[in-house]
Amino acid sequence: MVAALKDKLGRTIEYLRLSVTDRCNLRCVYCRSEDDCPKARELPPPAFERIARAFAHLGGKKIRVTGGEPLMRRDLEEIIERIARIPSYRDISMTTNGHGAARRIAGLKNAGLMRLNFSLDSLKPEKYAAITGGGNINEVFEGIDRALEAGLTPIKTNTVLVRGENDLEIDDFIELARLRPIEVRFIELMPIGKFGEDASKHIPSDELVAARKHLKMLPQEAAQPAVTYGIDGYAGKIGFIRAVSHRFCDTCNRIRVTSDGIVKTCLGDNSETSLLPALRQDDSTLIRVLEEAIYQKHSGHHFDDGYQSRRNMNRIGG
Ligand code: SAM
């Protein structure tokens, strides 16, 4: 049994969000800036496996593959398969925009993927295309349907709420959970990138919950950022990720590693540690560098004090 790894504030760190690419086939307004041209700075599958093994050695139990868009990588199944060989990971999930997902669901499941989150920012095809810079909403729903059939559950949808863009669709999103056993989640817009720095676009989750008395708070799972609600007679659940209006930094259990091998221990802080020199050395060096970076994990995000992120979300791994 591996001992739990604690940072200098005593928080147990066991969740890794691993970005496998900074490329994306979409350009969501809140995520990538106009002038962002990813340079495909990507590690090969064996390097991701080494990082995942080092994290497992330190007590890692949970891993989410993200990006950019992970499906942009042709060798994604190999990356997942290598991670799934590591016995410590009891939860291997992925966040995707769903484009091209349907035909790869079986292969991803065979590789060891356990569950999926789909980003979905509007239910109106034209609006969806506008927010995502050309996305096709049918691709998302086909992906969700195939993933449900394959049992890659629980499936969650992620909607970044932006005032003036998709806030009038909230009740339509909630309706998705009436018949489908999915968790429909609303994410507060984070001040990452130019778009998110505009305070007039932010919507605090409490405002939405207060206006919907039929939402019944469910027992909350430990170390989950989403506050979840049920509705009588609905198959699915509703979740709110309130990272901006309610900080959960003191229970944060995660770190991020970017597709080019940089550790970011906090989404709302610009400190970074490169794993590249350690990746050129043996596993014990890699473990030591990762352990030190985790120990120094930043105490909390700076979203409420004029934070300006040096990277857009596609270059961090959301
Ligand atoms: N391409 C995949 C996707 O679309 O889900 C994975 C990467 S995307 C960067 C991961 C998540 O980050 C998405 O759910 C997206 O909505 C979220 N995200 C990106 N920028 C954000 C922002 N400024 N505020 C809040 N969430 C954001």
Side-chain angles (χ1 to χ4, degrees):
M1 186 75 173
V2 182
L5 177 66
K6 299 209 186 272
D7 71 0
K8 63 179 192 281
L9 298 180
R11 294 172 293 193
T12 299
I13 309 301
E14 55 185 17
Y15 180 13
L16 169 62
R17 294 178 79 113
L18 184 65
S19 174
V20 295
T21 181
D22 60 356
R23 290 175 291 144
C24 192
N25 41 8
L26 301 182
R27 191 182 286 277
C28 299
V29 283
Y30 52 77
C31 186
R32 277 172 71 189
S33 58
E34 289 289 314
D35 53 355
D36 180 74
C37 301
K39 302 210 172 50
R41 289 166 291 211
E42 296 168 356
L43 297 175
F48 288 126
E49 180 182 348
R50 281 189 66 202
I51 293 168
R53 280 191 187 280
F55 188 60
H57 180 89
L58 294 168
K61 295 193 171 55
K62 198 172 155 181
I63 202 157
R64 172 173 296 278
V65 172
T66 183
E69 174 48 50
L71 291 168
M72 297 289 284
R73 282 201 66 147
R74 297 218 175 122
D75 53 5
L76 177 63
E77 289 76 359
E78 181 189 343
I79 296 170
I80 305 268
E81 197 179 334
R82 283 174 175 273
I83 293 169
R85 280 186 214 145
I86 307 169
S88 320
Y89 291 112
R90 48 175 197 222
D91 185 4
I92 304 174
S93 61
M94 183 171 102
T95 301
T96 177
N97 61 37
H99 285 61
R103 64 177 178 277
R104 291 177 74 178
I105 291 287
L108 289 166
K109 186 177 180 187
N110 283 342
L113 187 70
M114 297 173 191
R115 59 189 186 91
L116 275 165
N117 285 10
F118 289 87
S119 291
L120 180 60
D121 290 317
S122 175
L123 295 171
K124 299 177 184 161
E126 281 168 22
K127 186 82 188 165
Y128 177 82
I131 292 178
T132 58
N136 174 358
I137 198 168
N138 296 328
E139 291 273 335
V140 193
F141 279 105
E142 274 175 40
I144 292 174
D145 288 344
R146 290 296 90 71
L148 279 170
E149 283 161 18
L152 282 174
T153 55
I155 288 173
K156 299 176 185 176
T157 57
N158 287 337
T159 301
V160 178
L161 278 179
V162 182
R163 208 182 290 281
E165 291 282 344
N166 55 7
D167 51 330
L168 299 181
E169 292 188 57
I170 293 166
D171 293 306
D172 300 329
F173 278 112
I174 290 175
E175 278 309 292
L176 291 177
R178 184 189 284 272
L179 297 176
R180 294 179 183 84
I182 61 177
E183 184 174 323
V184 173
R185 304 201 306 178
F186 299 106
I187 303 179
E188 288 179 346
L189 175 67
M190 296 176 204
I192 296 179
K194 279 255 162 316
F195 190 89
E197 284 162 18
D198 179 351
S200 69
K201 295 190 164 70
H202 290 248
I203 310 176
S205 298
D206 288 354
E207 181 182 315
L208 309 173
V209 174
R212 290 171 178 79
K213 301 286 178 225
H214 57 304
L215 295 176
K216 309 240 162 53
M217 195 186 272
L218 298 171
Q220 303 304 306
E221 289 169 41
Q224 272 294 332
V227 180
T228 48
Y229 295 82
I231 302 176
D232 290 342
Y234 280 50
K237 299 192 260 188
I238 312 300
F240 292 89
I241 301 191
R242 318 179 298 177
V244 180
S245 65
H246 294 69
R247 57 169 64 232
F248 40 80
C249 304
D250 54 354
T251 55
C252 183
N253 64 350
R254 65 191 59 186
I255 61 159
R256 288 175 160 79
V257 172
T258 66
S259 58
D260 51 348
I262 307 289
V263 184
K264 275 190 73 76
T265 59
C266 175
L267 195 51
D269 180 75
N270 282 315
S271 345
E272 302 186 342
T273 304
S274 176
L275 295 178
L276 293 183
L279 278 167
R280 289 191 277 273
Q281 299 183 53
D282 59 10
D283 286 344
S284 58
T285 308
L286 180 61
I287 290 168
R288 188 173 42 73
V289 172
L290 189 57
E291 185 174 21
E292 177 60 20
I294 292 170
Y295 184 74
Q296 298 298 346
K297 179 174 161 69
H298 201 72
S299 57
H301 69 67
H302 298 288
F303 289 158
D304 43 10
D305 57 22
Y307 175 64
Q308 290 195 314
S309 176
R310 276 195 225 118
R311 291 171 181 256
N312 285 336
M313 194 70 110
N314 63 302
R315 294 215 173 178
I316 302 173

